[in-house]
Amino acid sequence: EVRLVESGGGLVQAGGSLRLSCTASGFTFDDYAIGWFRQAPGKEREGVSCISSSDRRPYYGDSVKGRFTISSDNAKNTVYLQMSSLKPEDTAVYYCASVVAVSACPRPKWAYIPSYDLWGQGTQVTVSS
């Protein structure tokens, strides 16, 4: 079965850090494009970051640039999202998603949701003020 599983969410105070993990099963990381998205209550789902096996650099949403870092461990089939300097407005359910059998983040818009065809179940991140 092809699936993505997120983990690492939780409750943290403003200014703190969390690391989310997205582990893939049923396919390998030889060619991959993995994105992180988030959705807060009453808001649309938004792109947080994307990393791939072929892009020279990852992509970040404007609201998280300089605070979040995406990375991958191909041996573990896992993509990480290191979140630092967290703010209450970062509170959301965080999802990872992949573009199956594609080795680059979607063009021209890496955060275009319909481009992603496999989604995890999400993990809750709550940042208290």
Side-chain angles (χ1 to χ4, degrees):
E1 179 185 7
V2 178
R3 60 189 299 214
L4 298 172
V5 178
E6 303 96 335
S7 61
L11 174 64
V12 64
Q13 289 188 333
S17 299
L18 278 177
R19 189 179 77 162
L20 306 183
S21 300
C22 171
T23 300
S25 60
F27 67 99
T28 64
F29 266 30
D30 293 331
D31 295 303
Y32 65 89
I34 302 288
W36 281 100
F37 294 79
R38 67 186 183 184
Q39 188 165 19
K43 295 188 177 181
E44 294 185 351
R45 192 169 296 190
E46 66 169 341
V48 174
S49 184
C50 182
I51 190 170
S52 77
S53 54
S54 66
D55 289 311
R56 293 183 179 181
R57 60 171 179 83
Y59 297 89
Y60 295 97
D62 289 340
S63 62
V64 306
K65 283 180 181 177
R67 301 188 298 121
F68 290 10
T69 302
I70 193 170
S71 62
S72 64
D73 185 335
N74 291 10
K76 295 183 178 180
N77 275 17
T78 298
V79 168
Y80 302 100
L81 185 69
Q82 179 67 48
M83 306 186 295
S84 302
S85 301
L86 283 163
K87 305 174 182 180
E89 51 263 45
D90 294 317
T91 295
V93 177
Y94 283 71
Y95 301 88
C96 66
S98 73
V99 187
V100 178
V102 170
S103 62
C105 294
R107 304 284 203 284
K109 297 179 179 180
W110 64 267
Y112 185 57
I113 290 174
S115 296
Y116 293 82
D117 42 24
L118 178 66
W119 290 80
Q121 83 288 349
T123 186
Q124 176 71 46
V125 172
T126 303
V127 184
S128 63
S129 57

